[in-house]
Amino acid sequence: MAIAREDPKNLDELNRELAQGYMRGLWAREIPERGEPRPFGPPHVWKWEAIHSGLLAAGDLVSLDRFGVRRNIGLVNPGLVEQGAFASATMTMGFQLVKSGETALAHRHTASAIRFIVEGQVGAYTVVNGEKCTMERGDLILTPNWHWHDHHNESERPVIWIDGLDAPMGMALRAGFTEPYHDPKGQPLKSAVDYASRNPGGLSVPGPAPVRLIYKWKETLAALHGINDTNKSPHDGRCLEYRNETYGGHTLRSFTCWIQMLDGGEETLRHRHTTTHLYHVVEGEGSTEAGEKKLAWEKGDCFVIPNWTWHRHRNTDPREPAILFSMNDLPVQQALDLYREERSE
Amino acid sequence: MAIAREDPKNLDELNRELAQGYMRGLWAREIPERGEPRPFGPPHVWKWEAIHSGLLAAGDLVSLDRFGVRRNIGLVNPGLVEQGAFASATMTMGFQLVKSGETALAHRHTASAIRFIVEGQVGAYTVVNGEKCTMERGDLILTPNWHWHDHHNESERPVIWIDGLDAPMGMALRAGFTEPYHDPKGQPLKSAVDYASRNPGGLSVPGPAPVRLIYKWKETLAALHGINDTNKSPHDGRCLEYRNETYGGHTLRSFTCWIQMLDGGEETLRHRHTTTHLYHVVEGEGSTEAGEKKLAWEKGDCFVIPNWTWHRHRNTDPREPAILFSMNDLPVQQALDLYREERSE
Amino acid sequence: MAIAREDPKNLDELNRELAQGYMRGLWAREIPERGEPRPFGPPHVWKWEAIHSGLLAAGDLVSLDRFGVRRNIGLVNPGLVEQGAFASATMTMGFQLVKSGETALAHRHTASAIRFIVEGQVGAYTVVNGEKCTMERGDLILTPNWHWHDHHNESERPVIWIDGLDAPMGMALRAGFTEPYHDPKGQPLKSAVDYASRNPGGLSVPGPAPVRLIYKWKETLAALHGINDTNKSPHDGRCLEYRNETYGGHTLRSFTCWIQMLDGGEETLRHRHTTTHLYHVVEGEGSTEAGEKKLAWEKGDCFVIPNWTWHRHRNTDPREPAILFSMNDLPVQQALDLYREERSE
Amino acid sequence: MAIAREDPKNLDELNRELAQGYMRGLWAREIPERGEPRPFGPPHVWKWEAIHSGLLAAGDLVSLDRFGVRRNIGLVNPGLVEQGAFASATMTMGFQLVKSGETALAHRHTASAIRFIVEGQVGAYTVVNGEKCTMERGDLILTPNWHWHDHHNESERPVIWIDGLDAPMGMALRAGFTEPYHDPKGQPLKSAVDYASRNPGGLSVPGPAPVRLIYKWKETLAALHGINDTNKSPHDGRCLEYRNETYGGHTLRSFTCWIQMLDGGEETLRHRHTTTHLYHVVEGEGSTEAGEKKLAWEKGDCFVIPNWTWHRHRNTDPREPAILFSMNDLPVQQALDLYREERSE
């Protein structure tokens, strides 16, 4: 076959013809010779005062029965307002309020989620596939992919927690399912309360290891204080990953969670990585230089370090430690061999 | 802390306030109680005549030097015109033309790719990390994640092939890098021609197994004809996966490739799955019912079965087999435990 | 080549000729048409009184300096007296005594080991690759493959523990190395005391998860009491595996450890498996039917259930629970796809 | 508890008492401070003439019906005559003869095996789980763990092959089962002849990848000649591993197979490793220095390089290549993290 051309065209004409036939020349895209990831949006801080005020208002205005199953306020990265309105390109971070006496009914979905408790106390709990997990400040509770979960508040005071999900990834893969639990009374309990937490020795019934579902704050805090100087990271201070044997050492299959402590006055070194980190300030105050921005934060605030953005943290209190909880999308980047990091000298 | 409310609001007012603070109530999204994936777009056929005509015109109008490194026409799903303009939500499928005497210069990127040769002959080849891979009709050549690759046509006639990439996934994860090769003369050759193909016994130098880079058509066709009736799939006929030990049995880490043969007159059973399949007709003619559509196809055409869309294939020629090459995103769905399938009775 | 025979032989003559040439006909072995594993030896009980008395005598007669690095008395299965003199075909179980003020100097070996503390208290400890692990009754300490370890007793009283090793496997594979630590003062400490135990939440510094080295008895006991009836095994009662993320959920790569509790008066169902179990009685008294034998045991005793031997356990005390620590070789059997189990109706 | 001693003993007395109670002091073993593996036996050559002569005699004297299911002559390392009488501590290597018209009836066992064909031709074949595998000189056929297999010789001439098994490992683990096939007529055929070999492109029906069962000599030889100088090993010449996706890139789960070619006059560098290698000379002649010995070998001979023995190979023919087939126990050593190698400068 020789290349024969009937009617000469110019490139614009060709582009129009291709578009009509649902095609597009690669030359019509901007593809740099040498490229690196562009952050999906700017670094940003969400102040606790605004989040909290919104939650209180939603507590009055949004009925769990009437408006849907969850009273959740999601953070929206300014760069993603039109593209999904999520906190990052791969993860969501939001705040949920369940008032005294309320129940958020049981359902399950293919999106995997974590809950980090911001305000909670005895009487508040989540049931995950039949395991009752108590919700006290600082606890981390997992509801992996397709696990039933319902939230209960039998205490006198409201419960507030962070919901973190991999929903944007599931949406990108177009593979999401959701299902309500058949019985409005919720799931039957199948194990001891906080089974995974009361079973901290890494011991469990022979056979495939169960998924770990809860990490109590008391133990997390002890572990955090147990990190010696040798094990400090120059970029992240005293930093721990919530590990899950089921997911190869990460918290979940799609994203993972960290808890980190900056000593009084500590300032970390600058680096950047292809992963995105969503932060919540558990204790203390400080600031994070991220790209061109300087994000000042204090207890309750949230902030985001988008992908491939140079950043460093600083605890501005010279004496008290600052504690940060965070989520990042390392596991899926590792599964696709995409993770990279650069460090400043 | 008791919940105290200073100024009563209505929900619209709250929504506005939240939006101003880069937040959004979950109640403002439509979230069904019971949900399943929505296809990212309609099933669609792209006719070879239009693709081919576009390639020929591009051969005249697009210089490899001037307009960029690749003369590629990408298929655009009608449902994704505004959202990336890709063939599917997770993969691209396009056609590339390299004319006699031309070279597409070496570069590498974190996107993984396959090439399926539509028109090729002795003298045409791709070099992948120093391995020269010949390009003849029906061959499959891989350029995994961050492998250098350059395309050469030292034959008298043009070469046309399908480029399939996981670029939409890399974009979703915001982790993509691209780099040109330092030497315009291209990469030095490091192994025998078609090393992986001349080494078909699964033998290789001790140590980590090398990535398989080429599957020659002659062997693929022999394997296809070697499938007996017992191993036929009721949904996909005589179907083979191009396996790669490096990627746990799939072709690449992010997507995988199949070659399948429908016997003369064969009609498969209906099913649907969360994965998307991008097809190219290697031989024969037939039709595929997909959702509400009936896609008629013949040699050279491409078509897409979007995620979670009921479908069945039919070879409309009563005597001659039809052969289909395809790509699908099963590996990443399995890595995140998201794959599901439903079959009609 | 036609088969030509010069000198007719009989089979005995052939067998002799082959033996002279270091060959052997398969016909000269007894190979049953249908076969199953033969236990390597009989079930057997070792009484604590005898073990303890031996240890005390060794305490007087055996100097850590003079006679070698460890004052250890190994259990010998009656079926293996001539074949290695080990407790089982794949594992050793022995008792070690370190007196007040003594140190067992640091070394490392490719054999992996566990220590289960029988008598211990504050002041006794083992250092494993720089991590100080305290030795109190019921604690489990690991010294995996090629980890430096030295044992110290700075308390006023002797320390006694069980040493369990995979030495017979390493010997079968002929791949064992041993090395003394260069400095007689021992290893420097690198982390907090009982780091892995004070870090029970499954949290650790990002990066490859560290090997868990210690499981404190207090937590083990709490976990044991936390097993509800639903999770009881009909064959092993309330049973937990000491899990190690590093080894795919087992305690070590070659063998694994269990702790199990039989309720007052409990009698388990009969089963057999290709694995061998070496038991130590932590609390209580009971009996185990194993093959033709009935093994009566009480606190401090050890017993072995050899491979493929039918067995059942009974707690003969109607009120108090019995607690058993054990080792078994499941991990290596799984690695080679050899594990099987049979259960009585 | 204070240590109290009733009757002073000496160490001999204690040792006797312990032995009576089926115990043994570690001090009674020779355990060097610094140790490395001792080879299980000497390097050794078995000459083809002796093997072949034995096989011919066995052909006359040993009936497949009468004396057992396999007419196999096993090689016995001089160091293992009393300890299992195997070729190495972990593997067996033997030769099997099936005469024209004979069948070795179907059975299966938990030991995994390979067959390397020394003399074979059209009409000779093995059936493995329903797949007919032809037996021609140089072919490698696998019968993994618990796969049914029967051997048939419908040709006019005898077939001789090497049987290599992991039987010593299975015996060490005491987990071996054997079972005869219920039907003396043998297994029904389930796939095309040499399915895995006619399917060389690494393609197979979607789903779990099937176990590869056959590697035809023609392809092996082509692969061997395809190794360029860059990929030559200084210790093993042009060397290939028979890879199996199912077993993580090794031939089987317990041991792996290599084919290697020494160029005319080639002499390799000295090294040693914890693995043992059992060799068979396919073509050519040469010598191997192993420990204190110099093993001269020619076509048909077998030799063993025991574990941790320094060795180097030499092709004594200055022009013709020598080709060696071998088995080694790397996979199980890697599974237990035991592999080590040392190279001379």
Side-chain angles (χ1 to χ4, degrees):
Chain A
M1 185 207 75
I3 292 193
R5 293 281 306 105
E6 291 167 20
D7 49 343
K9 289 169 192 161
N10 63 37
L11 202 56
D12 283 348
E13 197 180 336
L14 174 60
N15 288 344
R16 273 195 303 275
E17 272 187 32
L18 289 174
Q20 280 170 352
Y22 291 110
M23 292 183 277
R24 189 170 173 187
L26 201 62
W27 54 85
R29 296 183 189 267
E30 246 185 280
I31 295 176
E33 259 209 347
R34 182 183 300 275
E36 59 180 36
R38 262 183 292 184
F40 61 84
H44 188 78
V45 173
W46 294 265
K47 299 301 291 176
W48 172 242
E49 197 183 324
I51 298 166
H52 191 225
S53 154
L55 278 175
L56 296 188
D60 290 350
L61 296 167
V62 179
S63 146
L64 291 192
D65 299 337
R66 183 159 166 214
F67 289 98
V69 288
R70 299 298 186 258
R71 188 190 287 121
N72 172 297
I73 293 179
L75 309 180
V76 179
N77 186 277
L80 296 175
V81 174
E82 305 299 325
Q83 295 136 284
F86 297 123
S88 91
T90 52
M91 301 171 291
T92 68
M93 183 178 257
F95 284 79
Q96 188 166 159
L97 168 69
V98 173
K99 295 189 291 185
S100 174
E102 284 185 332
T103 296
L105 296 178
H107 67 173
R108 62 178 175 181
H109 35 68
T110 46
S112 289
I114 59 94
R115 328 277 164 202
F116 184 83
I117 315 308
V118 176
E119 295 184 4
Q121 51 279 328
V122 173
Y125 61 93
T126 286
V127 183
V128 186
N129 270 13
E131 179 174 335
K132 184 175 178 174
C133 300
T134 60
M135 300 177 101
E136 295 175 289
R137 175 170 157 75
D139 294 347
L140 179 71
I141 296 170
L142 311 185
T143 62
N145 187 325
W146 214 235
H147 280 55
W148 293 112
H149 54 283
D150 42 308
H151 311 296
H152 303 263
N153 187 355
E154 298 175 358
S155 80
E156 295 299 308
R157 294 158 56 203
V159 193
I160 295 175
W161 66 81
I162 291 174
D163 284 316
L165 284 88
D166 62 5
M169 291 188 228
M171 290 180 68
L173 292 170
R174 311 283 169 145
F177 292 80
T178 302
E179 195 175 32
Y181 193 71
H182 61 88
D183 185 346
K185 275 178 254 161
Q187 314 168 60
L189 300 187
K190 287 186 193 157
S191 66
V193 173
D194 294 341
Y195 176 70
S197 175
R198 288 174 56 197
N199 188 0
L203 291 123
S204 57
V205 173
V211 183
R212 183 177 186 100
L213 298 175
I214 182 163
Y215 303 74
K216 294 296 286 181
W217 180 244
K218 189 180 158 190
E219 287 158 6
T220 300
L221 196 60
L224 206 44
H225 283 284
I227 306 174
N228 61 19
D229 290 358
T230 314
N231 288 312
K232 276 182 67 170
S233 156
H235 301 95
D236 287 296
R238 300 182 202 272
C239 181
L240 294 171
E241 184 169 10
Y242 294 85
R243 295 188 178 281
N244 214 322
E245 182 183 314
T246 308
Y247 304 122
H250 292 306
T251 315
L252 289 167
R253 218 178 279 290
S254 44
F255 65 90
T256 197
C257 296
W258 288 1
I259 191 82
Q260 67 196 88
M261 183 163 69
L262 302 172
D263 295 341
E266 182 174 356
E267 187 159 4
T268 63
L269 298 183
R270 199 181 302 276
H271 71 151
R272 64 174 174 177
H273 31 64
T274 48
T275 45
T276 290
H277 288 242
L278 294 172
Y279 277 97
H280 168 70
V281 184
V282 184
E283 293 289 354
E285 60 186 51
S287 65
T288 295
E289 292 173 43
E292 305 292 305
K293 285 197 168 182
K294 183 167 179 178
L295 312 171
W297 40 259
E298 60 192 331
K299 182 173 171 176
D301 295 350
C302 291
F303 60 98
V304 56
I305 312 291
N307 60 309
W308 212 236
T309 300
W310 288 104
H311 61 280
R312 67 192 309 181
H313 303 295
R314 186 168 167 220
N315 179 351
T316 49
D317 184 320
R319 281 167 309 273
E320 291 303 308
I323 299 181
L324 303 170
F325 169 81
S326 64
M327 305 162 47
N328 73 74
D329 50 2
L330 181 62
V332 70
Q333 292 207 3
Q334 286 180 331
L336 297 175
D337 276 348
L338 292 172
Y339 181 70
R340 285 204 210 173
E341 184 189 359
E342 276 183 11
R343 300 172 180 204
S344 66
E345 312 269 315
Chain B
M1 184 206 76
I3 293 193
R5 295 280 305 106
E6 291 168 18
D7 48 344
K9 290 169 192 160
N10 61 39
L11 203 55
D12 284 346
E13 197 180 336
L14 174 59
N15 288 344
R16 272 195 304 276
E17 273 186 29
L18 289 174
Q20 280 170 352
Y22 293 110
M23 291 183 277
R24 190 170 173 183
L26 200 63
W27 53 84
R29 296 182 190 268
E30 246 184 278
I31 296 178
E33 260 209 347
R34 181 183 300 276
E36 59 180 34
R38 262 183 293 183
F40 61 84
H44 189 76
V45 173
W46 294 266
K47 300 300 291 178
W48 171 243
E49 198 183 323
I51 298 166
H52 192 224
S53 156
L55 278 176
L56 296 189
D60 290 350
L61 296 167
V62 178
S63 148
L64 292 192
D65 298 338
R66 184 157 167 216
F67 289 98
V69 286
R70 300 298 187 259
R71 187 189 289 120
N72 171 297
I73 293 179
L75 308 181
V76 178
N77 186 277
L80 297 175
V81 173
E82 304 300 325
Q83 296 135 287
F86 298 123
S88 91
T90 52
M91 301 170 291
T92 68
M93 182 178 258
F95 283 80
Q96 187 166 160
L97 168 69
V98 174
K99 295 190 292 186
S100 174
E102 285 186 330
T103 296
L105 297 178
H107 67 174
R108 61 180 176 180
H109 35 67
T110 46
S112 291
I114 59 95
R115 329 279 164 199
F116 184 82
I117 315 306
V118 176
E119 295 184 4
Q121 52 278 328
V122 172
Y125 61 94
T126 286
V127 184
V128 186
N129 270 13
E131 178 176 335
K132 183 175 178 175
C133 300
T134 60
M135 300 178 102
E136 295 175 289
R137 176 170 156 75
D139 294 347
L140 179 71
I141 295 169
L142 311 184
T143 61
N145 188 325
W146 213 236
H147 280 55
W148 294 111
H149 54 283
D150 43 306
H151 311 296
H152 304 263
N153 186 356
E154 300 174 357
S155 79
E156 296 300 307
R157 294 158 55 202
V159 193
I160 295 174
W161 68 80
I162 291 173
D163 285 316
L165 285 89
D166 62 5
M169 290 188 230
M171 290 179 68
L173 291 170
R174 311 284 168 145
F177 293 80
T178 303
E179 195 175 31
Y181 192 71
H182 62 89
D183 184 346
K185 278 179 252 161
Q187 314 169 60
L189 301 187
K190 286 186 193 156
S191 67
V193 173
D194 294 342
Y195 177 69
S197 174
R198 288 173 57 198
N199 188 1
L203 291 123
S204 57
V205 174
V211 183
R212 181 177 189 103
L213 298 176
I214 183 163
Y215 303 74
K216 294 295 288 181
W217 179 243
K218 189 181 157 189
E219 288 159 5
T220 300
L221 196 60
L224 206 45
H225 284 284
I227 306 173
N228 61 19
D229 290 358
T230 314
N231 288 313
K232 276 181 68 170
S233 155
H235 300 96
D236 287 297
R238 300 181 201 272
C239 181
L240 294 171
E241 184 169 10
Y242 293 85
R243 295 188 178 281
N244 215 322
E245 182 182 314
T246 308
Y247 304 123
H250 292 307
T251 315
L252 289 166
R253 217 177 281 290
S254 45
F255 65 91
T256 197
C257 296
W258 287 2
I259 191 83
Q260 68 195 87
M261 184 163 69
L262 302 172
D263 295 341
E266 182 173 355
E267 188 159 3
T268 63
L269 298 183
R270 199 180 302 277
H271 70 153
R272 65 175 173 175
H273 31 64
T274 48
T275 46
T276 290
H277 288 242
L278 293 172
Y279 277 97
H280 168 70
V281 183
V282 183
E283 294 287 355
E285 59 184 53
S287 65
T288 294
E289 291 173 42
E292 305 292 305
K293 284 199 168 182
K294 182 168 181 178
L295 312 170
W297 41 258
E298 60 193 331
K299 182 173 173 178
D301 294 351
C302 291
F303 61 96
V304 56
I305 311 290
N307 62 309
W308 211 235
T309 301
W310 287 104
H311 61 281
R312 67 191 310 181
H313 304 297
R314 187 168 166 219
N315 179 350
T316 50
D317 185 320
R319 281 168 311 272
E320 292 300 310
I323 299 182
L324 303 171
F325 169 82
S326 63
M327 304 162 50
N328 72 73
D329 52 1
L330 181 62
V332 70
Q333 293 208 2
Q334 285 180 332
L336 297 174
D337 277 348
L338 292 172
Y339 180 70
R340 284 205 211 172
E341 184 190 359
E342 276 184 10
R343 300 171 180 205
S344 66
E345 311 270 313
Chain C
M1 186 207 72
I3 291 192
R5 295 279 305 107
E6 290 168 21
D7 49 343
K9 291 170 193 159
N10 62 37
L11 202 56
D12 283 347
E13 197 181 336
L14 174 59
N15 288 345
R16 273 194 303 275
E17 272 187 31
L18 289 174
Q20 280 170 353
Y22 291 111
M23 292 184 276
R24 188 169 173 186
L26 201 61
W27 55 85
R29 295 181 190 270
E30 246 186 281
I31 296 177
E33 259 209 347
R34 181 184 300 277
E36 60 181 35
R38 264 182 290 184
F40 63 82
H44 190 77
V45 174
W46 294 265
K47 300 301 291 178
W48 172 243
E49 198 183 324
I51 297 167
H52 192 225
S53 154
L55 279 174
L56 295 190
D60 290 351
L61 296 167
V62 178
S63 147
L64 291 192
D65 299 336
R66 183 157 167 215
F67 290 96
V69 287
R70 299 297 186 258
R71 187 189 289 121
N72 171 297
I73 293 179
L75 309 181
V76 179
N77 186 277
L80 297 174
V81 173
E82 305 298 325
Q83 296 137 288
F86 298 124
S88 90
T90 53
M91 301 171 290
T92 69
M93 181 176 260
F95 284 79
Q96 187 167 160
L97 167 70
V98 174
K99 295 188 289 184
S100 174
E102 283 185 331
T103 296
L105 298 178
H107 68 174
R108 62 178 175 182
H109 36 68
T110 46
S112 290
I114 59 95
R115 329 275 163 202
F116 184 82
I117 315 307
V118 177
E119 295 184 3
Q121 52 277 330
V122 172
Y125 60 94
T126 287
V127 184
V128 185
N129 269 13
E131 178 175 337
K132 183 175 178 175
C133 300
T134 59
M135 299 178 102
E136 295 174 289
R137 175 169 156 77
D139 295 347
L140 180 71
I141 296 170
L142 310 185
T143 60
N145 188 324
W146 213 236
H147 280 55
W148 294 112
H149 53 283
D150 43 306
H151 311 296
H152 303 262
N153 187 356
E154 300 175 357
S155 79
E156 297 298 308
R157 293 159 55 203
V159 194
I160 294 174
W161 67 80
I162 291 174
D163 285 315
L165 284 89
D166 62 4
M169 291 189 229
M171 290 179 69
L173 291 170
R174 310 283 168 146
F177 292 81
T178 303
E179 194 175 32
Y181 192 70
H182 62 87
D183 184 345
K185 277 179 254 159
Q187 314 169 59
L189 300 187
K190 287 186 191 156
S191 68
V193 173
D194 294 340
Y195 177 71
S197 175
R198 288 174 56 196
N199 189 0
L203 291 123
S204 56
V205 174
V211 182
R212 181 178 189 101
L213 297 176
I214 183 164
Y215 302 75
K216 294 295 287 181
W217 180 244
K218 190 181 158 189
E219 289 159 4
T220 300
L221 196 60
L224 205 47
H225 283 284
I227 305 173
N228 61 19
D229 289 356
T230 315
N231 288 313
K232 275 182 67 170
S233 156
H235 301 95
D236 287 297
R238 301 183 200 271
C239 181
L240 294 171
E241 184 169 9
Y242 293 85
R243 295 189 177 282
N244 214 322
E245 184 183 313
T246 307
Y247 304 122
H250 292 306
T251 315
L252 289 167
R253 217 177 281 290
S254 45
F255 64 92
T256 198
C257 296
W258 287 3
I259 191 82
Q260 68 195 86
M261 183 163 68
L262 303 173
D263 295 342
E266 183 174 355
E267 186 160 6
T268 64
L269 298 184
R270 198 181 302 276
H271 71 150
R272 64 174 175 176
H273 31 63
T274 48
T275 45
T276 290
H277 288 242
L278 294 172
Y279 277 97
H280 168 72
V281 184
V282 183
E283 293 287 354
E285 60 185 52
S287 65
T288 294
E289 291 172 43
E292 305 292 305
K293 284 199 170 180
K294 183 166 180 178
L295 311 170
W297 41 258
E298 62 193 330
K299 183 172 171 177
D301 294 350
C302 292
F303 60 96
V304 54
I305 312 291
N307 61 308
W308 211 235
T309 301
W310 287 104
H311 61 280
R312 67 191 309 180
H313 303 295
R314 185 166 168 222
N315 179 350
T316 49
D317 184 319
R319 282 168 309 273
E320 292 302 310
I323 299 182
L324 303 171
F325 170 81
S326 63
M327 305 162 50
N328 73 73
D329 51 1
L330 182 61
V332 69
Q333 294 208 0
Q334 286 181 331
L336 297 174
D337 278 348
L338 292 173
Y339 181 69
R340 286 203 207 172
E341 184 190 358
E342 276 184 12
R343 299 170 182 207
S344 66
E345 311 269 313
Chain D
M1 188 207 72
I3 291 190
R5 294 280 305 106
E6 290 168 21
D7 48 344
K9 288 171 194 158
N10 62 39
L11 202 55
D12 284 347
E13 196 181 336
L14 174 59
N15 288 344
R16 272 195 304 276
E17 272 187 32
L18 289 174
Q20 280 169 353
Y22 292 110
M23 293 184 275
R24 189 170 172 184
L26 200 61
W27 55 84
R29 295 183 190 268
E30 247 185 280
I31 295 177
E33 261 211 344
R34 181 184 301 276
E36 58 181 34
R38 262 182 291 183
F40 63 83
H44 190 76
V45 174
W46 293 266
K47 301 300 291 178
W48 172 242
E49 198 183 324
I51 297 167
H52 191 225
S53 155
L55 278 175
L56 296 190
D60 290 350
L61 296 169
V62 178
S63 148
L64 293 191
D65 300 336
R66 182 155 167 219
F67 290 97
V69 287
R70 299 299 187 259
R71 186 189 290 120
N72 172 298
I73 292 179
L75 308 181
V76 178
N77 186 276
L80 297 174
V81 173
E82 304 300 324
Q83 295 136 288
F86 298 125
S88 90
T90 54
M91 301 172 290
T92 69
M93 182 177 259
F95 284 78
Q96 187 167 159
L97 168 70
V98 173
K99 295 188 291 183
S100 174
E102 285 186 330
T103 296
L105 297 177
H107 67 176
R108 62 178 175 181
H109 35 68
T110 47
S112 290
I114 58 96
R115 327 278 164 199
F116 184 82
I117 315 307
V118 176
E119 297 184 3
Q121 52 277 329
V122 173
Y125 60 94
T126 286
V127 183
V128 185
N129 270 12
E131 179 176 335
K132 183 176 179 173
C133 300
T134 59
M135 300 178 101
E136 295 175 289
R137 175 169 155 76
D139 295 348
L140 179 71
I141 296 170
L142 310 185
T143 60
N145 188 323
W146 213 235
H147 280 56
W148 294 112
H149 54 285
D150 42 308
H151 310 297
H152 303 263
N153 187 356
E154 299 174 358
S155 78
E156 297 298 308
R157 293 158 56 202
V159 194
I160 294 175
W161 68 79
I162 291 173
D163 285 315
L165 285 89
D166 63 4
M169 291 188 229
M171 289 179 69
L173 292 169
R174 311 284 167 144
F177 292 80
T178 303
E179 193 174 33
Y181 193 70
H182 62 88
D183 185 345
K185 276 179 255 160
Q187 314 169 58
L189 300 186
K190 286 186 191 158
S191 67
V193 173
D194 292 342
Y195 177 70
S197 175
R198 288 173 56 194
N199 189 0
L203 292 122
S204 57
V205 173
V211 183
R212 182 175 189 101
L213 298 176
I214 183 163
Y215 303 74
K216 294 296 287 181
W217 179 244
K218 190 181 158 188
E219 288 158 4
T220 300
L221 196 60
L224 206 45
H225 283 284
I227 305 172
N228 61 20
D229 289 357
T230 314
N231 288 313
K232 275 181 69 170
S233 157
H235 300 96
D236 287 297
R238 300 182 201 272
C239 180
L240 294 171
E241 184 169 9
Y242 293 84
R243 295 188 178 283
N244 215 322
E245 183 182 315
T246 308
Y247 303 121
H250 292 306
T251 315
L252 289 167
R253 217 177 280 290
S254 44
F255 64 91
T256 196
C257 296
W258 288 3
I259 192 83
Q260 67 195 89
M261 184 163 69
L262 302 173
D263 296 341
E266 182 173 355
E267 188 160 3
T268 64
L269 297 184
R270 200 180 301 277
H271 70 151
R272 64 175 174 175
H273 30 63
T274 48
T275 45
T276 290
H277 288 243
L278 294 172
Y279 276 98
H280 168 71
V281 184
V282 184
E283 293 288 353
E285 60 186 53
S287 65
T288 294
E289 291 172 42
E292 305 292 305
K293 283 199 171 182
K294 183 167 180 177
L295 311 171
W297 41 258
E298 61 192 330
K299 182 172 171 178
D301 294 350
C302 291
F303 61 97
V304 55
I305 312 290
N307 61 309
W308 212 235
T309 301
W310 287 103
H311 61 280
R312 67 192 309 180
H313 303 296
R314 186 166 166 219
N315 179 349
T316 49
D317 185 319
R319 283 167 307 274
E320 292 302 309
I323 299 181
L324 303 172
F325 169 82
S326 64
M327 305 162 50
N328 73 73
D329 51 1
L330 182 62
V332 71
Q333 293 208 1
Q334 286 181 331
L336 297 174
D337 278 349
L338 292 173
Y339 181 69
R340 286 204 208 172
E341 185 190 357
E342 276 184 11
R343 300 173 180 204
S344 66
E345 311 269 313

